[in-house]
Amino acid sequence: MIYTDGSVFLLQGRTYGYAIRVLGNGFLQHLYYGGKVSRCDLGLLAAMGDTTAPGDDINMDMAFDGMPGEYGFFAHGDFHDPTAVFVRSDGAAVSRLRYKSYRIYDGTARVVGMPHVRKADKTLEITLKDDFSDVEILLNYTVCDDSDVLVRNAVVKNMGKIAVGVKKAFSFCLDLPNGEYSMMRLAGTWGRERCPETAPIAHGITRLQSLRGASSHQTNPFTAVMRPGCTEESGECFGIQLVYSGSFAITAEWSRNAQLRIQGGINDVGFEWTLNGGEELVTPQALLTYSCGGTGEMSRSIARFLRDRIIDPKYAYSPRPVVVNNWEATYFDFDNEKLFPIIDTAAELGIDTFVLDDGWFGKRDDDRSGLGDWFVNEKKLKGGLNTLIDRCKSRGLKFGLWFEPEMVCEDSDLYRAHPDYAITANGVQPARSRNQLVLDFTRKDVVDRIYTAISKILAENDISYVKWDMNRSITECYSSKLPPERQGEFMHRYILGVYDLAERLTGAFPDVFFEGCAGGGGRFDAGALYYFPQIWTSDVTDGYERTKIQWGTSMCYPLSAMSCHVSVCPNHQTGRTTPLFTRGAVASLGAFGYELDLSKLTEEEKSQVREITRNYKRIQRLILDGDLYRIIDPFTRDYFCEAVVSADKTEAYVVGERVLCIPCDYNRYVYLRGLDPDKVYEIEELGVASSGAALMNVGLLLPKTADFGAWTWHLKAVEK
Ligand code: GLA
């Protein structure tokens, strides 16, 4: 809901309120963001706002620094990190933004060329005008009445005739009072993506960012800003998340006045965008999620929002294929003879789709050559893809294929014909990573070329699944086709090129399911989810490490977005051995599949795989539709436990794991969460029936297992 009397704007979602007002001198003041307030509270909020409003003689005033704002400006008495910086033709970068107009319309804001919220109830658009230039800033606030997510972005417009240089243009600025907050960030590296780390926000600037051209393994474009006392289950926090897959920054600045300013958007390091007269720059959307039920409630609100409004509705709640992927089974070393038995066994074990990973194209027997040559290597795969596809079909399986569209190897036909397609700065030795270079996706002709090659394969073959990988960070950031004054646009233009290709491929092949991937989970973000309903969570598939990776990822992504596979033991990445049941149970908390040579399993293992797959198909509805309750944190305890509960609370699925056994660690209880206290639930594995209240308050004894042993409980509400 959006209410206004022309000077105060009150936005309301499911449980939050957000208030802004236009001061008499035209400045836009942030009044409030938190639990729901009503129209009758606006007088109180305005009176509180009076204490931070700048005085009437604004030319005398240095008070902008203390005014909670909606979009900070630069070099005019606001000494925070600016939200945007734009430079006039005479070099002056001073700005002072004042309210010009507003409008409220149905639906979501227009975000051309970038992933965005697909549907919403209402949008408030406020236009600000710079006192010293022809720049206008449009601030968009999109609300959904049944959600705790408020969507924001900004559009920078040059309303004059002379070009303006934009050096920074963040998507939003949010000021919260009482500066003592903690920040949860999702930090990591390859194989240890998205580990939650919480620390008090200190004075000065705290900055989360990626400069890698992708949202990155190292820092996810998400943070939870938590009020004192906020825990997983209670207290207030604000989730801040970008719908963006490129180099980003999110900053939190605690300044002398007891105020915390949070901002974020396209990374401004090295950024510069020329806006000619009449042009505009649209910034990525940011999702602001309010929770008064701790980080757990925040995650559930975000997961619901992403499924309802960002992920393609055709796939968001649809059962996902259970895949077997051949990467860890064969790596590059395969031919039909090696793949047929995997396909045949997959069919026997109830698996739906066979995905052929890296190595099927060009000359690609290792990672030194071939990327860019998207045609079948018939020496390796006799009869081409059709032989494999026919084999799949004859066994009732669908077929999926791996691509790495953005990359090229120097040893490839594509590179030999078009060396200029690769990003190589003039006279600068390109940094190599995994023996590959990045294609210059700022160039439409390069994107067109890759589109043509990939769409040919998809059009000519019966392919139902694509795994889109991206295996290195971007360096050099230079396009030979951009003029010198536009080189600062490179990183953002690159990701726009990626989105363009994704938009065209998913549009042309709506029945193909696209899975995202970036050397494991290096581009796992809300922008990527717009095109890829699920993303490979990590290259590490170890049955214990995955509890941590998936726990962290679930902070701001739904379970159904996380591709989770069962692989062999000893695990290829950690060398650890965990029971097959454990690997299956942990992988069942996501979009499930296998990553091993099924034909090498013993008969006993096969029957376990059959059972694990059957169990997954049975609980998949909960993974797609349900709400996650994180119960025991594997980062701080020797156990892991999570429960997924159906929206109507009639069903739940619990997965637990014991890490290392602790001697004499008897009588430990797990307290379930998210159940209806008044319902009676039958627990299939335990043969008991108890009220939701008892299961949450009295708890259940943690099962005794060996190291890395897991358990699952299926709960169903029964008549009392
Ligand atoms: C990346 C992916 C893997 C696999 C390989 C292939 O590392 O994360 O799953 O596809 O590339 O080269």
Side-chain angles (χ1 to χ4, degrees):
M1 201 224 63
I2 301 176
Y3 161 80
T4 183
D5 61 6
S7 69
V8 177
F9 300 92
L10 175 64
L11 317 176
Q12 287 183 327
R14 194 174 67 98
T15 67
Y16 74 86
Y18 190 108
I20 310 165
R21 79 165 160 177
V22 183
L23 297 173
N25 47 22
F27 295 104
L28 197 62
Q29 185 186 33
H30 174 76
L31 285 182
Y32 175 73
Y33 182 29
K36 220 163 191 168
V37 291
S38 66
R39 277 157 64 166
C40 71
D41 301 316
L42 292 177
L44 172 76
L45 293 175
M48 287 165 70
D50 287 345
T51 58
T52 57
D56 286 340
D57 187 353
I58 53 172
N59 290 316
M60 291 293 290
D61 211 299
M62 285 285 186
F64 296 117
D65 201 42
M67 182 187 80
E70 288 294 320
Y71 206 75
F73 38 79
F74 183 50
H76 196 82
D78 179 351
F79 299 102
H80 288 90
D81 232 12
T83 316
V85 178
F86 30 89
V87 188
R88 298 189 313 204
S89 57
D90 65 355
V94 184
S95 55
R96 188 170 69 189
L97 300 169
R98 279 201 269 184
Y99 173 84
K100 183 180 164 195
S101 60
Y102 82 93
R103 73 185 176 109
I104 295 171
Y105 55 90
D106 289 342
T108 182
R110 200 174 60 100
V111 186
V112 180
M114 265 187 291
H116 54 267
V117 171
R118 291 173 193 265
K119 57 177 180 154
D121 293 324
K122 292 244 179 266
T123 296
L124 164 67
E125 175 195 281
I126 295 180
T127 302
L128 303 175
K129 158 99 185 68
D130 181 23
D131 280 347
F132 309 126
S133 73
D134 290 320
V135 169
E136 287 187 2
I137 310 269
L138 256 61
L139 302 181
N140 292 311
Y141 301 81
T142 296
V143 297
C144 304
D145 297 344
D146 66 353
S147 168
D148 282 327
V149 180
L150 167 67
V151 187
R152 289 193 55 182
N153 83 326
V155 181
V156 184
K157 286 181 147 189
N158 180 0
M159 305 301 283
K161 293 203 164 57
I162 302 164
V164 166
V166 181
K167 295 209 158 184
K168 178 175 184 180
F170 271 1
S171 300
F172 72 98
C173 160
L174 170 68
D175 281 321
L176 295 171
N178 299 345
E180 295 84 3
Y181 290 84
S182 292
M183 173 185 267
M184 179 203 284
R185 63 188 75 186
L186 300 179
T189 183
W190 174 88
R192 262 194 291 129
E193 292 91 338
R194 292 170 293 283
C195 307
E197 231 178 71
T198 304
I201 300 177
H203 279 98
I205 295 177
T206 306
R207 186 175 171 103
L208 310 182
Q209 70 169 3
S210 164
L211 283 168
R212 295 170 177 269
S215 45
S216 87
H217 301 80
Q218 285 72 12
T219 317
N220 201 258
F222 162 82
T223 181
V225 175
M226 303 152 77
R227 283 198 195 276
C230 176
T231 66
E232 172 70 9
E233 290 177 20
S234 66
E236 278 190 309
C237 63
F238 302 86
I240 312 285
Q241 183 169 12
L242 297 172
V243 186
Y244 192 57
S245 313
S247 293
F248 73 92
I250 296 175
T251 61
E253 182 172 8
W254 187 14
S255 47
R256 65 171 172 82
N257 39 56
Q259 175 177 309
L260 183 75
R261 174 164 289 191
I262 306 153
Q263 314 188 81
I266 300 169
N267 199 325
D268 52 312
V269 175
F271 174 84
E272 178 152 16
W273 194 280
T274 303
L275 270 188
N276 288 321
E279 286 180 354
E280 62 180 36
L281 173 66
V282 182
T283 65
Q285 288 183 329
L287 310 181
L288 276 49
T289 307
Y290 171 75
S291 166
C292 56
T295 47
E297 188 59 25
M298 171 199 71
S299 301
R300 288 185 286 279
S301 296
I302 296 174
R304 183 67 60 204
F305 186 88
L306 293 173
R307 284 176 292 181
D308 286 349
R309 299 171 193 279
I310 296 257
I311 298 174
D312 185 345
K314 178 168 176 183
Y315 296 111
Y317 290 101
S318 314
R320 306 292 165 73
V322 171
V323 306
V324 58
N325 176 303
N326 75 308
W327 178 240
E328 288 199 12
T330 64
Y331 294 104
F332 294 104
D333 181 17
F334 58 80
D335 53 21
N336 289 337
E337 281 57 52
K338 278 200 177 165
L339 298 176
F340 283 173
I342 299 179
I343 294 170
D344 296 352
T345 320
E348 275 172 41
L349 301 179
I351 291 162
D352 311 312
T353 299
F354 168 73
V355 179
L356 182 59
D357 211 279
D358 194 354
W360 58 269
F361 49 88
K363 182 184 128 212
R364 183 85 170 159
D365 294 322
D366 52 41
D367 64 15
R368 283 184 295 233
S369 62
L371 289 176
D373 292 344
W374 302 114
F375 47 84
V376 187
N377 180 339
E378 298 223 13
K379 266 202 219 131
K380 208 164 173 176
L381 293 176
K382 299 266 172 328
L385 290 178
N386 269 332
T387 311
L388 281 176
I389 294 173
D390 287 347
R391 185 74 169 207
C392 285
K393 279 186 172 167
S394 70
R395 303 292 189 273
L397 256 67
K398 291 188 169 167
F399 181 78
L401 198 58
W402 180 96
F403 290 92
E404 195 174 357
E406 300 148 69
M407 300 293 157
V408 66
C409 289
E410 286 151 284
D411 185 359
S412 70
D413 291 355
L414 181 67
Y415 185 81
R416 279 182 285 275
H418 298 281
D420 64 302
Y421 279 12
I423 298 169
T424 47
N426 275 348
V428 178
Q429 186 73 22
R432 286 176 183 78
S433 177
R434 215 188 182 212
N435 307 300
Q436 61 198 58
L437 298 176
V438 185
L439 290 170
D440 183 355
F441 263 40
T442 70
R443 286 174 57 174
K444 184 159 181 320
D445 58 335
V446 175
V447 175
D448 285 348
R449 169 78 182 232
I450 298 300
Y451 173 78
T452 307
I454 295 179
S455 55
K456 185 169 187 303
I457 296 274
L458 296 182
E460 288 174 359
N461 297 282
D462 195 352
I463 292 170
S464 69
Y465 191 105
V466 162
K467 177 176 172 188
W468 176 323
D469 208 342
M470 192 270 189
N471 274 313
R472 61 159 288 179
S473 301
I474 297 172
T475 51
E476 289 84 45
C477 312
Y478 179 90
S479 172
S480 55
K481 289 286 191 268
L482 284 173
E485 70 281 8
R486 286 194 178 269
Q487 291 297 334
E489 299 178 11
F490 181 89
M491 278 302 210
H492 183 53
R493 283 192 184 277
Y494 174 85
I495 203 70
L496 292 180
V498 173
Y499 289 146
D500 178 36
L501 183 63
E503 180 76 32
R504 286 153 73 185
L505 284 173
T506 52
F509 300 95
D511 295 331
V512 175
F513 184 88
F514 284 77
E515 177 190 47
C517 177
R523 199 159 61 188
F524 205 125
D525 55 72
L529 281 179
Y530 182 89
Y531 296 107
F532 310 127
Q534 69 189 53
I535 300 173
W536 184 225
T537 316
S538 175
D539 277 339
V540 167
T541 45
D542 175 280
Y544 164 55
E545 288 299 322
R546 270 293 181 130
T547 61
K548 297 195 268 183
I549 297 167
Q550 293 171 205
W551 176 281
T553 305
S554 77
M555 285 296 157
C556 55
Y557 303 105
L559 294 184
S560 57
M562 302 182 211
S563 298
C564 301
H565 293 178
V566 174
S567 59
V568 287
C569 278
N571 181 268
H572 287 195
Q573 295 82 26
T574 62
R576 186 179 288 128
T577 293
T578 54
L580 181 52
F581 179 79
T582 298
R583 284 172 269 151
V586 173
S588 71
L589 289 167
F592 181 79
Y594 293 89
E595 183 102 7
L596 48 81
D597 189 341
L598 296 166
S599 67
K600 294 200 173 129
L601 296 177
T602 63
E603 282 313 309
E604 196 192 325
E605 286 168 333
K606 279 186 191 164
S607 79
Q608 253 188 303
V609 163
R610 226 176 258 120
E611 185 44 42
I612 289 170
T613 310
R614 204 176 301 128
N615 170 60
Y616 183 71
K617 291 192 173 174
R618 193 178 140 207
I619 58 94
Q620 189 180 26
R621 217 1 76 216
L622 282 172
I623 302 295
L624 292 164
D625 301 346
D627 290 313
L628 174 72
Y629 289 82
R630 289 181 292 260
I631 298 175
I632 309 181
D633 178 354
F635 287 95
T636 55
R637 302 280 302 280
D638 281 308
Y639 301 90
F640 157 81
C641 186
E642 287 184 352
V644 204
V645 182
S646 64
D648 64 1
K649 300 202 181 278
T650 57
E651 255 189 278
Y653 174 61
V654 181
V655 175
E657 181 176 339
R658 175 190 292 260
V659 185
L660 295 182
C661 289
I662 305 168
C664 299
D665 191 36
Y666 310 128
N667 297 338
R668 259 190 194 283
Y669 288 83
V670 54
Y671 304 100
L672 298 191
R673 288 288 171 257
L675 304 176
D676 179 343
D678 296 329
K679 285 193 165 52
V680 172
Y681 295 89
E682 210 168 65
I683 305 175
E684 196 180 296
E685 289 79 355
L686 305 181
V688 297
S690 288
S691 69
L695 294 170
M696 294 191 287
N697 298 329
V698 181
L700 288 166
L701 261 185
L702 278 173
K704 294 196 175 27
T705 69
D707 289 354
F708 306 112
W711 66 91
T712 54
W713 291 325
H714 296 72
L715 278 71
K716 227 181 171 87
V718 290
E719 291 299 315
K720 284 188 208 174

mmCIF file of all heavy atoms in Angstrom, residues 260-285:
data_model
loop_
_atom_site.group_PDB
_atom_site.id
_atom_site.type_symbol
_atom_site.label_atom_id
_atom_site.label_comp_id
_atom_site.label_asym_id
_atom_site.label_seq_id
_atom_site.Cartn_x
_atom_site.Cartn_y
_atom_site.Cartn_z
ATOM 1 N N LEU A 260 23.105 5.096 10.662
ATOM 2 C CA LEU A 260 23.824 4.159 9.804
ATOM 3 C C LEU A 260 23.299 4.322 8.385
ATOM 4 O O LEU A 260 22.100 4.172 8.151
ATOM 5 C CB LEU A 260 23.581 2.727 10.279
ATOM 6 C CG LEU A 260 24.344 1.667 9.491
ATOM 7 C CD1 LEU A 260 25.821 1.676 9.873
ATOM 8 C CD2 LEU A 260 23.747 0.284 9.736
ATOM 9 N N ARG A 261 24.192 4.623 7.459
ATOM 10 C CA ARG A 261 23.767 4.778 6.063
ATOM 11 C C ARG A 261 24.183 3.541 5.263
ATOM 12 O O ARG A 261 25.362 3.185 5.235
ATOM 13 C CB ARG A 261 24.377 6.039 5.446
ATOM 14 C CG ARG A 261 24.079 6.155 3.968
ATOM 15 C CD ARG A 261 24.330 7.556 3.434
ATOM 16 N NE ARG A 261 23.330 8.493 3.936
ATOM 17 C CZ ARG A 261 23.179 9.747 3.475
ATOM 18 N NH1 ARG A 261 23.959 10.190 2.515
ATOM 19 N NH2 ARG A 261 22.255 10.537 3.977
ATOM 20 N N ILE A 262 23.215 2.903 4.642
ATOM 21 C CA ILE A 262 23.486 1.706 3.844
ATOM 22 C C ILE A 262 23.173 2.043 2.396
ATOM 23 O O ILE A 262 22.113 2.624 2.105
ATOM 24 C CB ILE A 262 22.619 0.521 4.304
ATOM 25 C CG1 ILE A 262 22.812 0.304 5.802
ATOM 26 C CG2 ILE A 262 22.977 -0.755 3.558
ATOM 27 C CD1 ILE A 262 21.624 -0.331 6.425
ATOM 28 N N GLN A 263 24.080 1.691 1.522
ATOM 29 C CA GLN A 263 23.882 2.011 0.106
ATOM 30 C C GLN A 263 24.425 0.859 -0.726
ATOM 31 O O GLN A 263 25.243 0.076 -0.256
ATOM 32 C CB GLN A 263 24.651 3.261 -0.279
ATOM 33 C CG GLN A 263 24.513 4.409 0.695
ATOM 34 C CD GLN A 263 25.146 5.681 0.169
ATOM 35 O OE1 GLN A 263 24.551 6.397 -0.623
ATOM 36 N NE2 GLN A 263 26.359 5.952 0.584
ATOM 37 N N GLY A 264 24.048 0.803 -1.958
ATOM 38 C CA GLY A 264 24.627 -0.245 -2.794
ATOM 39 C C GLY A 264 24.177 -0.162 -4.230
ATOM 40 O O GLY A 264 23.212 0.532 -4.567
ATOM 41 N N GLY A 265 24.918 -0.878 -5.059
ATOM 42 C CA GLY A 265 24.580 -0.918 -6.482
ATOM 43 C C GLY A 265 25.783 -1.334 -7.309
ATOM 44 O O GLY A 265 26.652 -2.087 -6.835
ATOM 45 N N ILE A 266 25.852 -0.807 -8.518
ATOM 46 C CA ILE A 266 26.974 -1.107 -9.417
ATOM 47 C C ILE A 266 28.252 -0.582 -8.759
ATOM 48 O O ILE A 266 28.269 0.553 -8.275
ATOM 49 C CB ILE A 266 26.781 -0.380 -10.766
ATOM 50 C CG1 ILE A 266 25.486 -0.824 -11.441
ATOM 51 C CG2 ILE A 266 27.976 -0.591 -11.674
ATOM 52 C CD1 ILE A 266 25.081 0.046 -12.641
ATOM 53 N N ASN A 267 29.295 -1.410 -8.739
ATOM 54 C CA ASN A 267 30.544 -0.977 -8.107
ATOM 55 C C ASN A 267 31.079 0.272 -8.800
ATOM 56 O O ASN A 267 31.188 0.317 -10.023
ATOM 57 C CB ASN A 267 31.593 -2.103 -8.171
ATOM 58 C CG ASN A 267 32.688 -1.887 -7.148
ATOM 59 O OD1 ASN A 267 33.073 -0.757 -6.865
ATOM 60 N ND2 ASN A 267 33.173 -2.973 -6.569
ATOM 61 N N ASP A 268 31.407 1.292 -7.992
ATOM 62 C CA ASP A 268 31.866 2.560 -8.566
ATOM 63 C C ASP A 268 33.369 2.592 -8.805
ATOM 64 O O ASP A 268 33.866 3.540 -9.408
ATOM 65 C CB ASP A 268 31.446 3.723 -7.666
ATOM 66 C CG ASP A 268 31.874 3.511 -6.224
ATOM 67 O OD1 ASP A 268 31.634 2.411 -5.697
ATOM 68 O OD2 ASP A 268 32.463 4.423 -5.633
ATOM 69 N N VAL A 269 34.099 1.554 -8.371
ATOM 70 C CA VAL A 269 35.547 1.568 -8.600
ATOM 71 C C VAL A 269 35.803 1.417 -10.101
ATOM 72 O O VAL A 269 35.407 0.420 -10.704
ATOM 73 C CB VAL A 269 36.246 0.434 -7.814
ATOM 74 C CG1 VAL A 269 37.734 0.377 -8.164
ATOM 75 C CG2 VAL A 269 36.056 0.618 -6.333
ATOM 76 N N GLY A 270 36.435 2.413 -10.684
ATOM 77 C CA GLY A 270 36.738 2.373 -12.121
ATOM 78 C C GLY A 270 35.533 2.656 -13.001
ATOM 79 O O GLY A 270 35.635 2.639 -14.223
ATOM 80 N N PHE A 271 34.390 2.932 -12.371
ATOM 81 C CA PHE A 271 33.151 3.133 -13.139
ATOM 82 C C PHE A 271 33.064 4.570 -13.629
ATOM 83 O O PHE A 271 33.390 5.514 -12.924
ATOM 84 C CB PHE A 271 31.955 2.820 -12.240
ATOM 85 C CG PHE A 271 30.594 3.106 -12.848
ATOM 86 C CD1 PHE A 271 29.979 2.180 -13.662
ATOM 87 C CD2 PHE A 271 29.931 4.308 -12.594
ATOM 88 C CE1 PHE A 271 28.718 2.427 -14.217
ATOM 89 C CE2 PHE A 271 28.678 4.566 -13.140
ATOM 90 C CZ PHE A 271 28.073 3.626 -13.948
ATOM 91 N N GLU A 272 32.647 4.765 -14.835
ATOM 92 C CA GLU A 272 32.280 6.088 -15.332
ATOM 93 C C GLU A 272 31.349 5.869 -16.519
ATOM 94 O O GLU A 272 31.641 5.051 -17.393
ATOM 95 C CB GLU A 272 33.503 6.883 -15.771
ATOM 96 C CG GLU A 272 33.095 8.226 -16.324
ATOM 97 C CD GLU A 272 34.155 9.311 -16.174
ATOM 98 O OE1 GLU A 272 35.314 8.957 -15.910
ATOM 99 O OE2 GLU A 272 33.799 10.486 -16.332
ATOM 100 N N TRP A 273 30.245 6.566 -16.537
ATOM 101 C CA TRP A 273 29.252 6.355 -17.591
ATOM 102 C C TRP A 273 28.915 7.706 -18.198
ATOM 103 O O TRP A 273 28.514 8.625 -17.487
ATOM 104 C CB TRP A 273 27.995 5.720 -16.995
ATOM 105 C CG TRP A 273 27.065 5.156 -18.017
ATOM 106 C CD1 TRP A 273 26.169 5.858 -18.785
ATOM 107 C CD2 TRP A 273 26.934 3.784 -18.409
ATOM 108 N NE1 TRP A 273 25.490 4.999 -19.618
ATOM 109 C CE2 TRP A 273 25.942 3.720 -19.409
ATOM 110 C CE3 TRP A 273 27.560 2.605 -18.011
ATOM 111 C CZ2 TRP A 273 25.557 2.517 -20.007
ATOM 112 C CZ3 TRP A 273 27.179 1.419 -18.604
ATOM 113 C CH2 TRP A 273 26.192 1.372 -19.596
ATOM 114 N N THR A 274 29.081 7.826 -19.499
ATOM 115 C CA THR A 274 28.755 9.095 -20.152
ATOM 116 C C THR A 274 27.273 9.116 -20.506
ATOM 117 O O THR A 274 26.790 8.236 -21.222
ATOM 118 C CB THR A 274 29.593 9.275 -21.435
ATOM 119 O OG1 THR A 274 30.975 9.199 -21.069
ATOM 120 C CG2 THR A 274 29.315 10.615 -22.095
ATOM 121 N N LEU A 275 26.594 10.139 -19.986
ATOM 122 C CA LEU A 275 25.162 10.296 -20.309
ATOM 123 C C LEU A 275 25.026 11.490 -21.234
ATOM 124 O O LEU A 275 25.178 12.643 -20.809
ATOM 125 C CB LEU A 275 24.371 10.589 -19.041
ATOM 126 C CG LEU A 275 23.797 9.461 -18.217
ATOM 127 C CD1 LEU A 275 22.894 10.018 -17.128
ATOM 128 C CD2 LEU A 275 23.032 8.452 -19.078
ATOM 129 N N ASN A 276 24.767 11.218 -22.480
ATOM 130 C CA ASN A 276 24.521 12.328 -23.397
ATOM 131 C C ASN A 276 23.167 12.945 -23.083
ATOM 132 O O ASN A 276 22.361 12.359 -22.348
ATOM 133 C CB ASN A 276 24.551 11.817 -24.843
ATOM 134 C CG ASN A 276 25.972 11.479 -25.272
ATOM 135 O OD1 ASN A 276 26.913 12.195 -24.914
ATOM 136 N ND2 ASN A 276 26.139 10.406 -26.013
ATOM 137 N N GLY A 277 22.936 14.111 -23.659
ATOM 138 C CA GLY A 277 21.662 14.789 -23.429
ATOM 139 C C GLY A 277 20.480 13.872 -23.723
ATOM 140 O O GLY A 277 20.479 13.164 -24.736
ATOM 141 N N GLY A 278 19.526 13.807 -22.822
ATOM 142 C CA GLY A 278 18.331 12.990 -23.032
ATOM 143 C C GLY A 278 18.504 11.525 -22.648
ATOM 144 O O GLY A 278 17.527 10.772 -22.657
ATOM 145 N N GLU A 279 19.717 11.116 -22.291
ATOM 146 C CA GLU A 279 19.929 9.682 -21.963
ATOM 147 C C GLU A 279 19.710 9.426 -20.474
ATOM 148 O O GLU A 279 19.779 10.337 -19.651
ATOM 149 C CB GLU A 279 21.343 9.251 -22.350
ATOM 150 C CG GLU A 279 21.519 9.103 -23.841
ATOM 151 C CD GLU A 279 22.927 8.670 -24.235
ATOM 152 O OE1 GLU A 279 23.825 8.591 -23.361
ATOM 153 O OE2 GLU A 279 23.129 8.436 -25.433
ATOM 154 N N GLU A 280 19.512 8.143 -20.161
ATOM 155 C CA GLU A 280 19.352 7.774 -18.753
ATOM 156 C C GLU A 280 20.143 6.508 -18.441
ATOM 157 O O GLU A 280 20.414 5.698 -19.331
ATOM 158 C CB GLU A 280 17.869 7.580 -18.405
ATOM 159 C CG GLU A 280 17.195 6.462 -19.190
ATOM 160 C CD GLU A 280 15.712 6.292 -18.823
ATOM 161 O OE1 GLU A 280 15.040 7.305 -18.563
ATOM 162 O OE2 GLU A 280 15.261 5.127 -18.804
ATOM 163 N N LEU A 281 20.497 6.378 -17.185
ATOM 164 C CA LEU A 281 21.167 5.166 -16.706
ATOM 165 C C LEU A 281 20.275 4.540 -15.648
ATOM 166 O O LEU A 281 19.987 5.157 -14.618
ATOM 167 C CB LEU A 281 22.537 5.520 -16.104
ATOM 168 C CG LEU A 281 23.277 4.384 -15.417
ATOM 169 C CD1 LEU A 281 23.684 3.293 -16.413
ATOM 170 C CD2 LEU A 281 24.516 4.893 -14.690
ATOM 171 N N VAL A 282 19.837 3.320 -15.932
ATOM 172 C CA VAL A 282 18.954 2.625 -14.982
ATOM 173 C C VAL A 282 19.827 1.750 -14.087
ATOM 174 O O VAL A 282 20.648 0.980 -14.581
ATOM 175 C CB VAL A 282 17.932 1.739 -15.738
ATOM 176 C CG1 VAL A 282 16.992 1.048 -14.766
ATOM 177 C CG2 VAL A 282 17.137 2.581 -16.730
ATOM 178 N N THR A 283 19.667 1.871 -12.794
ATOM 179 C CA THR A 283 20.499 1.075 -11.876
ATOM 180 C C THR A 283 19.751 -0.204 -11.473
ATOM 181 O O THR A 283 18.522 -0.263 -11.557
ATOM 182 C CB THR A 283 20.856 1.887 -10.619
ATOM 183 O OG1 THR A 283 19.652 2.159 -9.888
ATOM 184 C CG2 THR A 283 21.541 3.186 -10.974
ATOM 185 N N PRO A 284 20.485 -1.224 -11.045
ATOM 186 C CA PRO A 284 19.842 -2.492 -10.678
ATOM 187 C C PRO A 284 18.903 -2.323 -9.494
ATOM 188 O O PRO A 284 19.094 -1.444 -8.660
ATOM 189 C CB PRO A 284 21.000 -3.396 -10.278
ATOM 190 C CG PRO A 284 22.244 -2.704 -10.669
ATOM 191 C CD PRO A 284 21.945 -1.263 -10.877
ATOM 192 N N GLN A 285 17.927 -3.195 -9.426
ATOM 193 C CA GLN A 285 17.010 -3.148 -8.284
ATOM 194 C C GLN A 285 17.680 -3.721 -7.033
ATOM 195 O O GLN A 285 18.520 -4.614 -7.119
ATOM 196 C CB GLN A 285 15.742 -3.945 -8.585
ATOM 197 C CG GLN A 285 14.852 -3.245 -9.604
ATOM 198 C CD GLN A 285 13.553 -3.981 -9.876
ATOM 199 O OE1 GLN A 285 13.500 -5.198 -9.809
ATOM 200 N NE2 GLN A 285 12.515 -3.234 -10.200
#
